[in-house]
Short mmCIF file of all heavy atoms in Angstrom, two decimals:
data_model
loop_
_atom_site.label_atom_id
_atom_site.label_comp_id
_atom_site.label_asym_id
_atom_site.label_seq_id
_atom_site.Cartn_x
_atom_site.Cartn_y
_atom_site.Cartn_z
N GLU A 457 -57.92 209.75 -107.17
CA GLU A 457 -57.96 208.39 -106.59
C GLU A 457 -58.51 208.41 -105.17
O GLU A 457 -59.32 207.60 -104.78
CB GLU A 457 -56.61 207.79 -106.62
CG GLU A 457 -56.55 206.27 -106.70
CD GLU A 457 -55.13 205.82 -107.01
OE1 GLU A 457 -54.67 206.02 -108.12
OE2 GLU A 457 -54.48 205.29 -106.06
N LEU A 458 -58.00 209.40 -104.40
CA LEU A 458 -58.42 209.54 -103.01
C LEU A 458 -59.94 209.79 -102.96
O LEU A 458 -60.67 209.09 -102.17
CB LEU A 458 -57.68 210.66 -102.38
CG LEU A 458 -58.18 211.20 -101.06
CD1 LEU A 458 -58.05 210.14 -99.98
CD2 LEU A 458 -57.49 212.49 -100.63
N LEU A 459 -60.37 210.73 -103.79
CA LEU A 459 -61.83 211.08 -103.76
C LEU A 459 -62.67 209.85 -104.18
O LEU A 459 -63.71 209.55 -103.57
CB LEU A 459 -62.10 212.20 -104.76
CG LEU A 459 -61.55 213.57 -104.44
CD1 LEU A 459 -61.76 214.56 -105.54
CD2 LEU A 459 -62.24 214.12 -103.17
N ASP A 460 -62.19 209.10 -105.13
CA ASP A 460 -62.92 207.89 -105.56
C ASP A 460 -62.93 206.88 -104.45
O ASP A 460 -64.03 206.29 -104.26
CB ASP A 460 -62.09 207.32 -106.79
CG ASP A 460 -63.03 206.64 -107.73
OD1 ASP A 460 -64.25 206.98 -107.73
OD2 ASP A 460 -62.58 205.74 -108.44
N GLY A 461 -61.83 206.70 -103.76
CA GLY A 461 -61.83 205.73 -102.63
C GLY A 461 -62.81 206.18 -101.55
O GLY A 461 -63.50 205.30 -100.99
N LEU A 462 -62.85 207.42 -101.23
CA LEU A 462 -63.75 207.95 -100.23
C LEU A 462 -65.21 207.71 -100.63
O LEU A 462 -66.10 207.41 -99.82
CB LEU A 462 -63.50 209.43 -99.99
CG LEU A 462 -62.19 209.76 -99.36
CD1 LEU A 462 -61.99 211.31 -99.34
CD2 LEU A 462 -62.12 209.25 -97.95
N ARG A 463 -65.45 207.86 -101.92
CA ARG A 463 -66.80 207.62 -102.42
C ARG A 463 -67.22 206.17 -102.14
O ARG A 463 -68.33 205.92 -101.67
CB ARG A 463 -66.88 207.91 -103.88
CG ARG A 463 -68.26 207.90 -104.40
CD ARG A 463 -68.23 207.94 -105.94
NE ARG A 463 -67.38 206.85 -106.39
CZ ARG A 463 -67.72 206.24 -107.55
NH1 ARG A 463 -68.72 206.62 -108.28
NH2 ARG A 463 -66.88 205.25 -107.95
N ARG A 464 -66.33 205.30 -102.39
CA ARG A 464 -66.64 203.85 -102.22
C ARG A 464 -66.82 203.55 -100.72
O ARG A 464 -67.77 202.92 -100.28
CB ARG A 464 -65.52 202.94 -102.74
CG ARG A 464 -65.65 202.65 -104.20
CD ARG A 464 -64.73 201.53 -104.64
NE ARG A 464 -63.38 201.70 -104.12
CZ ARG A 464 -62.41 202.34 -104.77
NH1 ARG A 464 -62.64 202.83 -105.90
NH2 ARG A 464 -61.22 202.50 -104.27
N ASP A 465 -65.85 204.09 -99.93
CA ASP A 465 -65.87 203.69 -98.50
C ASP A 465 -67.05 204.40 -97.76
O ASP A 465 -67.59 203.82 -96.82
CB ASP A 465 -64.57 204.11 -97.83
CG ASP A 465 -63.38 203.36 -98.47
OD1 ASP A 465 -63.68 202.36 -99.15
OD2 ASP A 465 -62.24 203.77 -98.24
N LEU A 466 -67.27 205.67 -98.07
CA LEU A 466 -68.23 206.41 -97.26
C LEU A 466 -69.55 206.64 -97.95
O LEU A 466 -70.47 207.26 -97.46
CB LEU A 466 -67.65 207.75 -96.87
CG LEU A 466 -66.25 207.72 -96.23
CD1 LEU A 466 -65.74 209.14 -96.04
CD2 LEU A 466 -66.34 207.02 -94.85
N GLY A 467 -69.65 206.22 -99.18
CA GLY A 467 -70.90 206.41 -99.91
C GLY A 467 -71.18 207.87 -100.25
O GLY A 467 -72.35 208.29 -100.22
N LEU A 468 -70.17 208.66 -100.50
CA LEU A 468 -70.36 210.04 -100.77
C LEU A 468 -70.87 210.29 -102.17
O LEU A 468 -70.70 209.45 -103.07
CB LEU A 468 -69.05 210.78 -100.65
CG LEU A 468 -68.38 210.90 -99.32
CD1 LEU A 468 -67.01 211.52 -99.42
CD2 LEU A 468 -69.21 211.74 -98.39
N SER A 469 -71.53 211.42 -102.37
CA SER A 469 -71.88 211.84 -103.72
C SER A 469 -71.00 213.03 -104.03
O SER A 469 -70.62 213.81 -103.09
CB SER A 469 -73.32 212.28 -103.82
OG SER A 469 -74.15 211.25 -103.40
N TYR A 470 -70.64 213.23 -105.29
CA TYR A 470 -69.86 214.38 -105.64
C TYR A 470 -70.56 215.20 -106.70
O TYR A 470 -71.17 214.66 -107.66
CB TYR A 470 -68.49 213.98 -106.21
CG TYR A 470 -67.58 213.40 -105.21
CD1 TYR A 470 -67.29 212.00 -105.24
CD2 TYR A 470 -66.95 214.20 -104.25
CE1 TYR A 470 -66.43 211.46 -104.29
CE2 TYR A 470 -66.10 213.60 -103.31
CZ TYR A 470 -65.79 212.27 -103.36
OH TYR A 470 -64.98 211.76 -102.44
N LEU A 471 -70.43 216.52 -106.61
CA LEU A 471 -70.63 217.38 -107.74
C LEU A 471 -69.35 217.94 -108.17
O LEU A 471 -68.72 218.71 -107.43
CB LEU A 471 -71.63 218.53 -107.37
CG LEU A 471 -71.98 219.47 -108.50
CD1 LEU A 471 -72.67 218.77 -109.64
CD2 LEU A 471 -72.90 220.60 -108.00
N PHE A 472 -68.78 217.53 -109.31
CA PHE A 472 -67.38 217.73 -109.60
C PHE A 472 -67.35 218.73 -110.75
O PHE A 472 -67.71 218.45 -111.86
CB PHE A 472 -66.78 216.45 -109.99
CG PHE A 472 -65.29 216.42 -110.08
CD1 PHE A 472 -64.54 216.20 -108.93
CD2 PHE A 472 -64.63 216.68 -111.20
CE1 PHE A 472 -63.16 216.17 -108.94
CE2 PHE A 472 -63.23 216.67 -111.32
CZ PHE A 472 -62.49 216.44 -110.15
N ILE A 473 -66.84 219.92 -110.43
CA ILE A 473 -66.78 220.98 -111.44
C ILE A 473 -65.40 221.02 -112.06
O ILE A 473 -64.40 221.07 -111.30
CB ILE A 473 -67.16 222.31 -110.80
CG1 ILE A 473 -68.64 222.24 -110.36
CG2 ILE A 473 -66.96 223.47 -111.77
CD1 ILE A 473 -69.09 223.41 -109.55
N ALA A 474 -65.29 221.03 -113.38
CA ALA A 474 -63.98 221.07 -114.03
C ALA A 474 -64.09 221.73 -115.37
O ALA A 474 -65.16 221.91 -115.91
CB ALA A 474 -63.43 219.63 -114.17
N HIS A 475 -62.93 222.18 -115.90
CA HIS A 475 -62.92 222.74 -117.19
C HIS A 475 -62.30 221.77 -118.16
O HIS A 475 -62.28 221.96 -119.35
CB HIS A 475 -62.18 224.06 -117.25
CG HIS A 475 -60.70 223.93 -116.93
ND1 HIS A 475 -60.22 223.83 -115.64
CD2 HIS A 475 -59.63 223.76 -117.77
CE1 HIS A 475 -58.90 223.70 -115.69
NE2 HIS A 475 -58.55 223.62 -116.95
N ASP A 476 -61.79 220.67 -117.58
CA ASP A 476 -60.96 219.76 -118.33
C ASP A 476 -61.65 218.45 -118.50
O ASP A 476 -62.05 217.78 -117.53
CB ASP A 476 -59.66 219.52 -117.54
CG ASP A 476 -58.58 218.99 -118.39
OD1 ASP A 476 -58.82 218.89 -119.58
OD2 ASP A 476 -57.52 218.66 -117.84
N LEU A 477 -62.01 218.11 -119.77
CA LEU A 477 -62.81 216.86 -119.96
C LEU A 477 -62.10 215.54 -119.54
O LEU A 477 -62.69 214.71 -118.86
CB LEU A 477 -63.26 216.80 -121.39
CG LEU A 477 -64.55 217.55 -121.70
CD1 LEU A 477 -64.79 217.82 -123.18
CD2 LEU A 477 -65.75 216.78 -121.10
N PRO A 478 -60.84 215.38 -119.87
CA PRO A 478 -60.27 214.08 -119.57
C PRO A 478 -60.26 213.72 -118.11
O PRO A 478 -60.46 212.59 -117.72
CB PRO A 478 -58.78 214.27 -120.10
CG PRO A 478 -58.86 215.32 -121.10
CD PRO A 478 -59.99 216.20 -120.73
N VAL A 479 -60.10 214.74 -117.25
CA VAL A 479 -60.11 214.49 -115.77
C VAL A 479 -61.40 213.83 -115.37
O VAL A 479 -61.45 212.91 -114.56
CB VAL A 479 -59.95 215.83 -115.02
CG1 VAL A 479 -60.14 215.62 -113.57
CG2 VAL A 479 -58.64 216.45 -115.31
N VAL A 480 -62.49 214.32 -116.02
CA VAL A 480 -63.81 213.86 -115.61
C VAL A 480 -64.09 212.45 -116.08
O VAL A 480 -64.81 211.67 -115.41
CB VAL A 480 -64.82 214.85 -116.25
CG1 VAL A 480 -66.19 214.28 -116.25
CG2 VAL A 480 -64.78 216.15 -115.51
N ARG A 481 -63.51 212.09 -117.16
CA ARG A 481 -63.75 210.82 -117.84
C ARG A 481 -63.61 209.61 -116.88
O ARG A 481 -64.44 208.72 -116.87
CB ARG A 481 -62.82 210.66 -119.02
CG ARG A 481 -63.10 209.48 -119.88
CD ARG A 481 -61.98 209.41 -120.93
NE ARG A 481 -61.82 208.01 -121.28
CZ ARG A 481 -62.17 207.48 -122.45
NH1 ARG A 481 -62.67 208.21 -123.37
NH2 ARG A 481 -62.01 206.22 -122.65
N ASP A 482 -62.53 209.56 -116.12
CA ASP A 482 -62.26 208.39 -115.32
C ASP A 482 -63.11 208.35 -114.06
O ASP A 482 -63.17 207.38 -113.32
CB ASP A 482 -60.83 208.39 -114.89
CG ASP A 482 -59.89 208.52 -116.02
OD1 ASP A 482 -60.34 208.31 -117.15
OD2 ASP A 482 -58.69 208.86 -115.76
#
Side-chain angles (χ1 to χ4, degrees):
Chain A
E457 206 169 289
L458 166 68
L459 289 173
D460 210 26
L462 293 173
R463 188 190 56 146
R464 275 194 312 270
D465 299 345
L466 307 175
L468 294 173
S469 305
Y470 291 108
L471 181 62
F472 193 86
I473 295 170
H475 65 276
D476 199 5
L477 273 165
V479 174
V480 164
R481 187 187 149 110
D482 308 343

